[in-house]
Structures are given as C-alpha cells and as structure tokens.
Amino acid sequence: MTLQQRVESAIEQATGQAARFSTSRIAHGGCINDSRIIDLKDGRQFFLKSHPRARHFPGMFSSEFEALRRLSDADAIRVPAPVACGEEFIVMEAFQEGPPCADWQQQTGRQLAHLHQATVHVQFGFDFDNYLGTTPQPNLWTDDWLSFWRDQRLGWQLELYSRKRGSDRELIHLTERLLNRLDVYLGDVDEPAVLLHGDLWSGNAASDDSGRPVIFDPASYYGHREAEIGMMRMFGGFGPQCEAAYAEVWPLPPGSDERISLYRLYHEFNHLNLFGHGYYRSCVSTIQRLL
C-alpha cells in the first residue's frame, strides 16, 4: 500500500466513513515532517504529517496522538484533535489560521494556566517515552521532580552530548556541577505534576479563524508547570502580557525566574545536540549564570 492508501484506510477506520483523497497541499507546521492539508472527495479536510524516516523514530506519531488527545480532552486551550495515526504519519483536525485577536497573548496565558490546573497528576513522567524534535525523551514515572529533572532531562541531554563530544570538558564539567547543585533550585518545589505541551515555542502556536490561540506539535509529559515557560522564553513570541495573564490564574511562586532558566537550559541543550555548536555558548552562559 502507498502512504496515501494507508492514510485513507486509517481515516476510514477512525471515522467509519469512506475516505478518498481529492487534493493535498503543503502546509505550515511540523518543521521536521512533511505537512499537508488533505481534502477528501466528500468535502472533509484534515491535516496530515508524515516522516519518510519514521521507522528510525518508533512511536513518534503514536505518542503525539496520545499527547494531542490528552491536551484536547482538557478543553482549556484549542488543540487540533487527533484523528488517526500510523507508523509514519498522523492525521488530525485541520483548522483555518487567521490573524490573532487583540488579546491573543492574554488568552494564551490564561488558557495555559487552566490547562495546567485541569491536568494535575500524582507523578512526573508519561505513559511512554516520546520525542523532543527527533531527540528521544525518556518519561519514566517518578515521584520526585528533582530526580526526574536531573536524570531524565538535564542528565539525559548531558549523556547524549558526552557520547558525541566526550573530549569537551568545559560544558560537561559545568553541567555536572549544576546537576550536583539542583537541590538549590528544585529542592523546595512543592507543586503537583501537570500536563505540559512540552515544546511550546512560537512556531508551535497560532490563531484560528476567530483569532483564538491554537497550540500543536507537543512533546508532552507531566511535569512542573514552570518548565512550560522555559521553552516559551527561549525564542520569544510569548511576551510579558502572556505570563502576567497566566499568573492571574495561577501565580508563580518565589524563585521562578531561576527555575525557568534551568528549564530553558534543557531546550538549549537539546538544540545543541540536534543542531550543533551554535548553541554551545548559550548553554555555557546559562549554566554560569545559575552557578
């Protein structure tokens, strides 16, 4: 079967209606994947993401399907509802993009806070491992947030980096020092785990045809809510109005700025591992500021 036939079959099984492609066109979204809007002959429209080397990333689309389902079920912020998936593709609801409404930033902040409040969990982690970009992201259930962040986030990124650049002592030594002092920053965190989008930068957010926020392309897990903001601050796009609106619903406790820098470091490290030396100084600078 061709990819088209597999996608048609998956939509049929998920919806109970025959599915035959009419047209497809390249779409924005999912920068590491081929993304398309597909129109069916019966007038229905879906968003399709596929990856030609998906066999090298087992579970990539099934884990995204489950993350989208849980984010959507929270009914706090709009997320494209997942429809079907296979080893090399995921099909989800298509939405029409439009210009953001005047209070898009505030809506986004408030709705993220409501999402976090609605998804409290007793442990940190997820039902299965997933991916941050194409980096495997371990999510073993853990009772203790400090241990989770040390072992499955920063420690994991350091391990990946060490495999590639074992001779680089500066960054490895600095990160090891930071890992040994994590209790300074995370030892007093006394908040429940919540469902995170996990990779929320401006490229993974948009507005629908009513101007309302939409978020997509998650790398979800249950974690400390401030970790969401670490990625949001990395590339901009979510300004002070967004964070202030979040804090109106669920204020951040003292010490949040240092912790958010620590959470941002995870994404800086991931970009270093994915894209190379251009992110090296960013990682070093962040660690030096924290130390």
Side-chain angles (χ1 to χ4, degrees):
M1 294 175 68
T2 65
L3 174 61
Q4 176 178 324
Q5 290 170 326
R6 289 192 293 274
V7 172
E8 289 173 339
S9 177
I11 295 173
E12 286 183 10
Q13 292 181 26
T15 66
Q17 297 175 257
R20 294 294 179 267
F21 277 38
S22 174
T23 61
S24 72
R25 60 188 183 278
I26 295 175
H28 163 73
C31 61
I32 65 172
N33 298 289
D34 177 68
S35 301
R36 294 182 175 273
I37 298 293
I38 56 173
D39 296 290
L40 302 186
K41 290 183 177 179
D42 61 11
R44 289 179 295 162
Q45 188 178 81
F46 296 99
F47 183 88
L48 169 67
K49 282 200 313 186
S50 61
H51 196 294
R53 299 177 63 246
R55 67 182 182 278
H56 297 290
F57 309 106
M60 171 183 279
F61 291 118
S62 59
S63 62
E64 180 177 356
F65 185 98
E66 180 61 18
L68 287 169
R69 186 189 69 77
R70 296 192 193 190
L71 291 166
S72 181
D73 284 352
D75 197 25
I77 186 169
R78 185 170 181 185
V79 178
V83 176
C85 71
E87 182 183 17
E88 78 272 54
F89 68 86
I90 183 171
V91 179
M92 65 192 80
E93 168 196 13
F95 67 91
Q96 183 67 43
E97 284 196 54
C101 57
D103 65 340
W104 185 92
Q105 292 277 347
Q106 293 91 332
Q107 283 195 35
T108 301
R110 286 192 293 269
Q111 290 173 18
L112 279 173
H114 289 310
L115 167 68
H116 294 161
Q117 288 179 327
T119 57
V120 169
H121 198 277
V122 295
Q123 287 184 301
F124 303 98
F126 207 59
D127 290 327
F128 35 73
D129 297 343
N130 53 16
Y131 294 87
L132 183 61
T134 55
T135 302
Q137 181 170 256
N139 292 312
L140 182 67
W141 288 115
T142 307
D143 293 326
D144 174 59
W145 173 243
L146 189 157
S147 298
F148 180 86
W149 196 259
R150 181 192 62 222
D151 300 337
Q152 299 188 62
R153 290 300 180 260
L154 282 187
W156 170 242
Q157 290 290 345
L158 177 62
E159 180 181 337
L160 294 177
Y161 181 76
S162 298
R163 292 176 191 174
K164 298 178 182 178
R165 307 286 183 185
S167 60
D168 171 28
R169 294 310 307 165
E170 180 187 25
L171 181 55
I172 292 173
H173 177 66
L174 283 171
T175 308
E176 288 173 343
R177 284 180 57 198
L178 180 63
L179 289 173
N180 289 330
R181 298 186 71 243
L182 277 188
D183 61 308
V184 174
Y185 309 101
L186 303 183
D188 294 331
V189 171
D190 186 26
E191 291 191 340
V194 302
L195 182 61
L196 305 177
H197 175 284
D199 192 17
L200 191 54
W201 65 292
S202 57
N204 287 344
S207 52
D208 63 16
D209 54 0
S210 297
R212 300 173 301 171
V214 187
I215 59 174
F216 40 86
D217 291 348
S220 292
Y221 61 98
Y222 292 89
H224 186 214
R225 61 194 177 102
E226 291 172 351
E228 197 88 278
I229 302 173
M231 184 57 175
M232 292 169 67
R233 286 186 181 179
M234 186 166 172
F235 294 114
F238 303 96
Q241 292 176 322
C242 180
E243 291 191 28
Y246 182 103
E248 288 174 8
V249 177
W250 194 354
L252 299 180
S256 61
D257 279 341
E258 278 194 331
R259 290 189 297 271
I260 289 169
S261 292
L262 180 66
Y263 300 146
R264 171 177 167 163
L265 176 62
Y266 172 60
H267 295 281
E268 292 172 334
F269 234 124
N270 186 56
H271 278 67
L272 173 63
N273 281 323
L274 284 176
F275 306 119
H277 200 73
Y279 289 91
Y280 182 88
R281 295 316 310 176
S282 176
C283 291
V284 169
S285 296
T286 296
I287 297 173
Q288 287 176 333
R289 287 195 300 270
L290 287 166
L291 291 174

PDB file of all heavy atoms in Angstrom, residues 1 9 28 54 65 69 76-77 79 86 88 107 112 120 122 144 150 160 175 184-185 190 218 232 236 252 282:
ATOM      1  N   MET A   1       0.842  -1.202   0.000  1.00  0.00           N
ATOM      2  CA  MET A   1       0.000   0.000   0.000  1.00  0.00           C
ATOM      3  C   MET A   1       0.870   1.242   0.000  1.00  0.00           C
ATOM      4  O   MET A   1       1.915   1.291   0.641  1.00  0.00           O
ATOM      5  CB  MET A   1      -0.905   0.028   1.232  1.00  0.00           C
ATOM      6  CG  MET A   1      -1.958  -1.069   1.288  1.00  0.00           C
ATOM      7  SD  MET A   1      -2.888  -1.070   2.837  1.00  0.00           S
ATOM      8  CE  MET A   1      -3.794   0.464   2.688  1.00  0.00           C
ATOM      9  N   SER A   9      -7.092   4.493   4.615  1.00  0.00           N
ATOM     10  CA  SER A   9      -7.582   3.377   5.396  1.00  0.00           C
ATOM     11  C   SER A   9      -7.690   3.736   6.874  1.00  0.00           C
ATOM     12  O   SER A   9      -8.671   3.381   7.556  1.00  0.00           O
ATOM     13  CB  SER A   9      -6.664   2.171   5.212  1.00  0.00           C
ATOM     14  OG  SER A   9      -7.069   1.086   6.018  1.00  0.00           O
ATOM     15  N   HIS A  28       1.883  24.749   6.667  1.00  0.00           N
ATOM     16  CA  HIS A  28       2.789  25.141   7.747  1.00  0.00           C
ATOM     17  C   HIS A  28       2.570  24.218   8.927  1.00  0.00           C
ATOM     18  O   HIS A  28       1.463  23.818   9.232  1.00  0.00           O
ATOM     19  CB  HIS A  28       2.498  26.584   8.168  1.00  0.00           C
ATOM     20  CG  HIS A  28       3.060  26.955   9.508  1.00  0.00           C
ATOM     21  ND1 HIS A  28       4.402  27.162   9.717  1.00  0.00           N
ATOM     22  CD2 HIS A  28       2.452  27.139  10.714  1.00  0.00           C
ATOM     23  CE1 HIS A  28       4.594  27.468  10.995  1.00  0.00           C
ATOM     24  NE2 HIS A  28       3.436  27.466  11.618  1.00  0.00           N
ATOM     25  N   ALA A  54      10.442   7.627   9.451  1.00  0.00           N
ATOM     26  CA  ALA A  54       9.772   7.417  10.732  1.00  0.00           C
ATOM     27  C   ALA A  54      10.171   6.107  11.403  1.00  0.00           C
ATOM     28  O   ALA A  54      10.099   6.001  12.630  1.00  0.00           O
ATOM     29  CB  ALA A  54       8.259   7.467  10.532  1.00  0.00           C
ATOM     30  N   PHE A  65      -0.083  11.470  19.031  1.00  0.00           N
ATOM     31  CA  PHE A  65      -1.529  11.259  19.024  1.00  0.00           C
ATOM     32  C   PHE A  65      -2.077  11.280  20.447  1.00  0.00           C
ATOM     33  O   PHE A  65      -3.071  11.957  20.743  1.00  0.00           O
ATOM     34  CB  PHE A  65      -1.847   9.912  18.357  1.00  0.00           C
ATOM     35  CG  PHE A  65      -3.313   9.628  18.191  1.00  0.00           C
ATOM     36  CD1 PHE A  65      -3.945   9.875  16.979  1.00  0.00           C
ATOM     37  CD2 PHE A  65      -4.066   9.122  19.242  1.00  0.00           C
ATOM     38  CE1 PHE A  65      -5.301   9.608  16.812  1.00  0.00           C
ATOM     39  CE2 PHE A  65      -5.417   8.854  19.093  1.00  0.00           C
ATOM     40  CZ  PHE A  65      -6.040   9.103  17.879  1.00  0.00           C
ATOM     41  N   ARG A  69      -4.499  14.059  22.237  1.00  0.00           N
ATOM     42  CA  ARG A  69      -5.773  13.625  22.804  1.00  0.00           C
ATOM     43  C   ARG A  69      -5.936  14.150  24.221  1.00  0.00           C
ATOM     44  O   ARG A  69      -6.989  14.683  24.587  1.00  0.00           O
ATOM     45  CB  ARG A  69      -5.859  12.096  22.800  1.00  0.00           C
ATOM     46  CG  ARG A  69      -7.218  11.562  23.245  1.00  0.00           C
ATOM     47  CD  ARG A  69      -7.197  10.060  23.434  1.00  0.00           C
ATOM     48  NE  ARG A  69      -6.387   9.656  24.575  1.00  0.00           N
ATOM     49  CZ  ARG A  69      -6.789   9.752  25.848  1.00  0.00           C
ATOM     50  NH1 ARG A  69      -7.981  10.253  26.134  1.00  0.00           N
ATOM     51  NH2 ARG A  69      -5.997   9.342  26.829  1.00  0.00           N
ATOM     52  N   ALA A  76      -9.171  23.233  27.600  1.00  0.00           N
ATOM     53  CA  ALA A  76      -8.738  24.503  28.166  1.00  0.00           C
ATOM     54  C   ALA A  76      -8.190  25.457  27.110  1.00  0.00           C
ATOM     55  O   ALA A  76      -8.370  26.671  27.203  1.00  0.00           O
ATOM     56  CB  ALA A  76      -7.669  24.255  29.230  1.00  0.00           C
ATOM     57  N   ILE A  77      -7.508  24.910  26.126  1.00  0.00           N
ATOM     58  CA  ILE A  77      -6.954  25.694  25.020  1.00  0.00           C
ATOM     59  C   ILE A  77      -7.112  24.849  23.770  1.00  0.00           C
ATOM     60  O   ILE A  77      -7.048  23.615  23.824  1.00  0.00           O
ATOM     61  CB  ILE A  77      -5.472  26.057  25.289  1.00  0.00           C
ATOM     62  CG1 ILE A  77      -4.931  27.006  24.215  1.00  0.00           C
ATOM     63  CG2 ILE A  77      -4.595  24.815  25.414  1.00  0.00           C
ATOM     64  CD1 ILE A  77      -3.558  27.614  24.577  1.00  0.00           C
ATOM     65  N   VAL A  79      -6.574  22.701  20.683  1.00  0.00           N
ATOM     66  CA  VAL A  79      -5.544  21.807  20.164  1.00  0.00           C
ATOM     67  C   VAL A  79      -6.172  21.027  19.014  1.00  0.00           C
ATOM     68  O   VAL A  79      -7.318  20.589  19.132  1.00  0.00           O
ATOM     69  CB  VAL A  79      -5.057  20.819  21.248  1.00  0.00           C
ATOM     70  CG1 VAL A  79      -4.026  19.852  20.698  1.00  0.00           C
ATOM     71  CG2 VAL A  79      -4.495  21.575  22.445  1.00  0.00           C
ATOM     72  N   GLY A  86      -0.397   6.243  12.080  1.00  0.00           N
ATOM     73  CA  GLY A  86       0.297   5.027  11.695  1.00  0.00           C
ATOM     74  C   GLY A  86       1.756   5.203  12.023  1.00  0.00           C
ATOM     75  O   GLY A  86       2.165   6.216  12.598  1.00  0.00           O
ATOM     76  N   GLU A  88       4.226   5.974  10.211  1.00  0.00           N
ATOM     77  CA  GLU A  88       4.908   7.095   9.560  1.00  0.00           C
ATOM     78  C   GLU A  88       4.039   8.314   9.349  1.00  0.00           C
ATOM     79  O   GLU A  88       4.414   9.235   8.625  1.00  0.00           O
ATOM     80  CB  GLU A  88       5.512   6.641   8.222  1.00  0.00           C
ATOM     81  CG  GLU A  88       4.508   6.518   7.081  1.00  0.00           C
ATOM     82  CD  GLU A  88       3.828   5.176   6.985  1.00  0.00           C
ATOM     83  OE1 GLU A  88       3.245   4.710   7.978  1.00  0.00           O
ATOM     84  OE2 GLU A  88       3.879   4.594   5.894  1.00  0.00           O
ATOM     85  N   GLN A 107      -5.120  35.652  26.325  1.00  0.00           N
ATOM     86  CA  GLN A 107      -5.889  34.413  26.227  1.00  0.00           C
ATOM     87  C   GLN A 107      -4.982  33.196  26.346  1.00  0.00           C
ATOM     88  O   GLN A 107      -5.312  32.222  27.033  1.00  0.00           O
ATOM     89  CB  GLN A 107      -6.649  34.366  24.890  1.00  0.00           C
ATOM     90  CG  GLN A 107      -7.887  35.230  24.825  1.00  0.00           C
ATOM     91  CD  GLN A 107      -8.755  34.856  23.634  1.00  0.00           C
ATOM     92  OE1 GLN A 107      -8.840  33.690  23.259  1.00  0.00           O
ATOM     93  NE2 GLN A 107      -9.390  35.848  23.031  1.00  0.00           N
ATOM     94  N   LEU A 112      -3.425  28.474  29.159  1.00  0.00           N
ATOM     95  CA  LEU A 112      -2.372  27.551  29.594  1.00  0.00           C
ATOM     96  C   LEU A 112      -2.477  27.271  31.087  1.00  0.00           C
ATOM     97  O   LEU A 112      -2.315  26.124  31.530  1.00  0.00           O
ATOM     98  CB  LEU A 112      -0.995  28.133  29.277  1.00  0.00           C
ATOM     99  CG  LEU A 112      -0.488  27.986  27.850  1.00  0.00           C
ATOM    100  CD1 LEU A 112       0.809  28.761  27.675  1.00  0.00           C
ATOM    101  CD2 LEU A 112      -0.282  26.522  27.489  1.00  0.00           C
ATOM    102  N   VAL A 120      -3.777  17.953  36.720  1.00  0.00           N
ATOM    103  CA  VAL A 120      -2.890  17.576  37.826  1.00  0.00           C
ATOM    104  C   VAL A 120      -2.745  16.055  37.888  1.00  0.00           C
ATOM    105  O   VAL A 120      -3.714  15.309  37.719  1.00  0.00           O
ATOM    106  CB  VAL A 120      -3.448  18.124  39.152  1.00  0.00           C
ATOM    107  CG1 VAL A 120      -2.707  17.535  40.343  1.00  0.00           C
ATOM    108  CG2 VAL A 120      -3.352  19.652  39.170  1.00  0.00           C
ATOM    109  N   VAL A 122      -0.385  12.654  39.852  1.00  0.00           N
ATOM    110  CA  VAL A 122       0.327  12.309  41.086  1.00  0.00           C
ATOM    111  C   VAL A 122       1.813  12.055  40.861  1.00  0.00           C
ATOM    112  O   VAL A 122       2.593  12.047  41.820  1.00  0.00           O
ATOM    113  CB  VAL A 122      -0.303  11.066  41.766  1.00  0.00           C
ATOM    114  CG1 VAL A 122      -1.703  11.374  42.226  1.00  0.00           C
ATOM    115  CG2 VAL A 122      -0.296   9.861  40.818  1.00  0.00           C
ATOM    116  N   ASP A 144       9.519  12.063  42.432  1.00  0.00           N
ATOM    117  CA  ASP A 144      10.280  13.234  42.859  1.00  0.00           C
ATOM    118  C   ASP A 144      10.696  14.067  41.646  1.00  0.00           C
ATOM    119  O   ASP A 144      11.378  13.568  40.747  1.00  0.00           O
ATOM    120  CB  ASP A 144      11.514  12.766  43.640  1.00  0.00           C
ATOM    121  CG  ASP A 144      12.441  13.901  43.996  1.00  0.00           C
ATOM    122  OD1 ASP A 144      12.001  14.841  44.682  1.00  0.00           O
ATOM    123  OD2 ASP A 144      13.614  13.856  43.572  1.00  0.00           O
ATOM    124  N   ARG A 150      16.786  15.856  36.972  1.00  0.00           N
ATOM    125  CA  ARG A 150      18.217  15.532  36.944  1.00  0.00           C
ATOM    126  C   ARG A 150      18.500  14.357  36.016  1.00  0.00           C
ATOM    127  O   ARG A 150      19.408  14.418  35.180  1.00  0.00           O
ATOM    128  CB  ARG A 150      18.687  15.200  38.361  1.00  0.00           C
ATOM    129  CG  ARG A 150      20.178  14.863  38.458  1.00  0.00           C
ATOM    130  CD  ARG A 150      20.514  14.273  39.824  1.00  0.00           C
ATOM    131  NE  ARG A 150      19.794  13.019  40.052  1.00  0.00           N
ATOM    132  CZ  ARG A 150      19.232  12.704  41.212  1.00  0.00           C
ATOM    133  NH1 ARG A 150      19.289  13.537  42.247  1.00  0.00           N
ATOM    134  NH2 ARG A 150      18.603  11.538  41.347  1.00  0.00           N
ATOM    135  N   LEU A 160      23.739  12.435  26.112  1.00  0.00           N
ATOM    136  CA  LEU A 160      23.734  12.480  24.648  1.00  0.00           C
ATOM    137  C   LEU A 160      24.899  13.317  24.133  1.00  0.00           C
ATOM    138  O   LEU A 160      25.564  12.953  23.156  1.00  0.00           O
ATOM    139  CB  LEU A 160      22.412  13.057  24.141  1.00  0.00           C
ATOM    140  CG  LEU A 160      21.146  12.231  24.408  1.00  0.00           C
ATOM    141  CD1 LEU A 160      19.914  12.985  23.915  1.00  0.00           C
ATOM    142  CD2 LEU A 160      21.236  10.867  23.740  1.00  0.00           C
ATOM    143  N   THR A 175      28.084  21.328  33.570  1.00  0.00           N
ATOM    144  CA  THR A 175      26.780  20.678  33.735  1.00  0.00           C
ATOM    145  C   THR A 175      26.792  19.729  34.915  1.00  0.00           C
ATOM    146  O   THR A 175      25.814  19.654  35.679  1.00  0.00           O
ATOM    147  CB  THR A 175      26.385  19.934  32.450  1.00  0.00           C
ATOM    148  OG1 THR A 175      26.488  20.806  31.328  1.00  0.00           O
ATOM    149  CG2 THR A 175      24.952  19.423  32.549  1.00  0.00           C
ATOM    150  N   VAL A 184      19.425  23.133  45.155  1.00  0.00           N
ATOM    151  CA  VAL A 184      19.346  24.569  45.444  1.00  0.00           C
ATOM    152  C   VAL A 184      18.156  25.191  44.719  1.00  0.00           C
ATOM    153  O   VAL A 184      17.477  26.087  45.242  1.00  0.00           O
ATOM    154  CB  VAL A 184      20.660  25.275  45.035  1.00  0.00           C
ATOM    155  CG1 VAL A 184      20.537  26.786  45.183  1.00  0.00           C
ATOM    156  CG2 VAL A 184      21.818  24.740  45.854  1.00  0.00           C
ATOM    157  N   TYR A 185      17.880  24.703  43.524  1.00  0.00           N
ATOM    158  CA  TYR A 185      16.830  25.291  42.705  1.00  0.00           C
ATOM    159  C   TYR A 185      15.513  24.525  42.782  1.00  0.00           C
ATOM    160  O   TYR A 185      14.430  25.130  42.724  1.00  0.00           O
ATOM    161  CB  TYR A 185      17.281  25.346  41.243  1.00  0.00           C
ATOM    162  CG  TYR A 185      18.628  25.986  41.077  1.00  0.00           C
ATOM    163  CD1 TYR A 185      19.770  25.203  40.887  1.00  0.00           C
ATOM    164  CD2 TYR A 185      18.783  27.371  41.147  1.00  0.00           C
ATOM    165  CE1 TYR A 185      21.023  25.780  40.764  1.00  0.00           C
ATOM    166  CE2 TYR A 185      20.033  27.949  41.026  1.00  0.00           C
ATOM    167  CZ  TYR A 185      21.157  27.153  40.840  1.00  0.00           C
ATOM    168  OH  TYR A 185      22.381  27.724  40.726  1.00  0.00           O
ATOM    169  N   ASP A 190       7.249  22.289  45.495  1.00  0.00           N
ATOM    170  CA  ASP A 190       6.203  21.528  46.180  1.00  0.00           C
ATOM    171  C   ASP A 190       4.873  21.734  45.452  1.00  0.00           C
ATOM    172  O   ASP A 190       3.896  22.199  46.031  1.00  0.00           O
ATOM    173  CB  ASP A 190       6.107  21.979  47.638  1.00  0.00           C
ATOM    174  CG  ASP A 190       5.151  21.125  48.446  1.00  0.00           C
ATOM    175  OD1 ASP A 190       4.947  19.954  48.065  1.00  0.00           O
ATOM    176  OD2 ASP A 190       4.590  21.635  49.443  1.00  0.00           O
ATOM    177  N   PRO A 218       3.092  18.847  20.124  1.00  0.00           N
ATOM    178  CA  PRO A 218       3.552  18.723  21.513  1.00  0.00           C
ATOM    179  C   PRO A 218       4.646  17.674  21.697  1.00  0.00           C
ATOM    180  O   PRO A 218       4.832  16.784  20.871  1.00  0.00           O
ATOM    181  CB  PRO A 218       2.274  18.289  22.242  1.00  0.00           C
ATOM    182  CG  PRO A 218       1.521  17.482  21.218  1.00  0.00           C
ATOM    183  CD  PRO A 218       1.792  18.187  19.901  1.00  0.00           C
ATOM    184  N   MET A 232       8.965  28.622  26.302  1.00  0.00           N
ATOM    185  CA  MET A 232       8.261  29.805  25.799  1.00  0.00           C
ATOM    186  C   MET A 232       9.167  31.027  25.757  1.00  0.00           C
ATOM    187  O   MET A 232       9.024  31.889  24.899  1.00  0.00           O
ATOM    188  CB  MET A 232       7.032  30.081  26.661  1.00  0.00           C
ATOM    189  CG  MET A 232       5.943  29.024  26.530  1.00  0.00           C
ATOM    190  SD  MET A 232       4.629  29.181  27.773  1.00  0.00           S
ATOM    191  CE  MET A 232       3.867  30.743  27.263  1.00  0.00           C
ATOM    192  N   GLY A 236      11.163  33.733  22.229  1.00  0.00           N
ATOM    193  CA  GLY A 236      10.223  34.844  22.213  1.00  0.00           C
ATOM    194  C   GLY A 236       8.883  34.427  21.632  1.00  0.00           C
ATOM    195  O   GLY A 236       8.608  33.256  21.408  1.00  0.00           O
ATOM    196  N   LEU A 252       2.951  32.341  39.995  1.00  0.00           N
ATOM    197  CA  LEU A 252       4.187  31.578  40.130  1.00  0.00           C
ATOM    198  C   LEU A 252       4.798  31.865  41.500  1.00  0.00           C
ATOM    199  O   LEU A 252       4.796  33.008  41.962  1.00  0.00           O
ATOM    200  CB  LEU A 252       5.177  31.951  39.029  1.00  0.00           C
ATOM    201  CG  LEU A 252       4.717  31.693  37.591  1.00  0.00           C
ATOM    202  CD1 LEU A 252       5.809  32.126  36.620  1.00  0.00           C
ATOM    203  CD2 LEU A 252       4.361  30.229  37.377  1.00  0.00           C
ATOM    204  N   SER A 282      25.403  29.426  24.428  1.00  0.00           N
ATOM    205  CA  SER A 282      24.146  29.660  25.135  1.00  0.00           C
ATOM    206  C   SER A 282      24.037  28.735  26.344  1.00  0.00           C
ATOM    207  O   SER A 282      23.658  29.167  27.442  1.00  0.00           O
ATOM    208  CB  SER A 282      22.964  29.445  24.181  1.00  0.00           C
ATOM    209  OG  SER A 282      21.738  29.574  24.864  1.00  0.00           O
TER     210      SER A 282
END
